[in-house]
Amino acid sequence: MRENELTELRRSRLGFVFQAFNLLPSLTVEQNVLLPVRLAGRRQDRRRAGEVLGQVGLGDKGRRRPGELSGGQQQRVAIARALVTRPDVIFADEPTGALDTGTAAEVLGLLRHAVSGLGATVVMVTHDPVAAAWADRVLFLADGAFADGLERGSVEEIAGRMSALTARARAGAMAGVAA
């Protein structure tokens, strides 16, 4: 694909949720949600913004600025922004890393709903076994390569696999030092 075709693909079929929210402080919540639509040069549908804000529990916050919201509310705005274009795939990079456990559970529930209720695929990067346990499938990476996989793993199973991979990496590092 040419670069402009790739850009269109990213704008229309992909959504992104970042750990740091990446909201623009000078824009309202509604304007932040509609930003992908605006950047694509399409008509900004305020009803659609209200709809996705309602889905994330912020239907009454559209006129506020991000700085007036809690961290959890800001992350929900980021999820609404990712959902506004009805993407096929949502990439979430440590989406709960900056949140308390209760708010993290709410955010993970919203991402889970994107899968079960909206038919999207969510690809989430996390180091948190609790967050990973919300996934249908967990893939483990070590040194940039696929190292293991688990279907519908519990927090304990995921944490165990992570510990085993860490122990293997330490043992390998120690063997390299001893040699």
Side-chain angles (χ1 to χ4, degrees):
M1 295 179 100
R2 292 184 304 240
E3 188 58 39
N4 60 345
E5 292 171 321
L6 288 171
T7 299
E8 176 56 29
L9 174 77
R10 284 188 292 269
R11 285 183 181 156
S12 63
R13 311 236 356 237
L14 304 178
F16 298 92
V17 180
F18 305 96
Q19 179 178 358
F21 319 135
N22 291 344
L23 302 176
L24 299 177
S26 61
L27 299 181
T28 66
V29 165
E30 180 183 84
Q31 290 168 332
N32 269 284
V33 169
L34 288 172
L35 190 58
V37 177
R38 180 178 176 191
L39 291 173
R42 294 195 305 258
R43 186 178 68 80
Q44 297 179 54
D45 184 351
R46 294 181 69 199
R47 272 186 284 163
R48 176 69 182 146
E51 179 184 310
V52 293
L53 283 169
Q55 288 174 355
V56 301
L58 297 174
D60 62 339
K61 306 284 190 222
R63 299 271 182 241
R64 299 239 177 125
R65 304 264 181 215
E68 299 175 65
L69 305 177
S70 70
Q73 289 173 322
Q74 289 182 50
Q75 190 61 300
R76 287 189 274 158
V77 172
I79 291 171
R81 180 183 57 204
L83 294 173
V84 74
T85 60
R86 295 177 177 90
D88 297 318
V89 180
I90 298 170
F91 291 99
D93 181 15
E94 294 283 3
T96 61
L99 305 176
D100 63 76
T101 55
T103 305
E106 291 175 15
V107 166
L108 291 166
L110 291 170
L111 292 173
R112 181 80 241 166
H113 175 71
V115 173
S116 60
L118 306 175
T121 296
V122 175
V123 178
M124 177 174 55
V125 174
T126 186
H127 292 88
D128 179 5
V130 173
W134 286 73
D136 293 326
R137 185 171 185 207
V138 179
L139 302 176
F140 298 89
L141 301 177
D143 299 322
F146 174 73
D148 201 356
L150 187 61
E151 301 288 325
R152 297 217 178 251
S154 69
V155 173
E156 295 77 17
E157 290 172 313
I158 293 166
R161 300 265 179 111
M162 291 171 79
S163 293
L165 288 170
T166 301
R168 238 184 293 163
R170 281 192 192 136
M174 294 307 286
V177 170

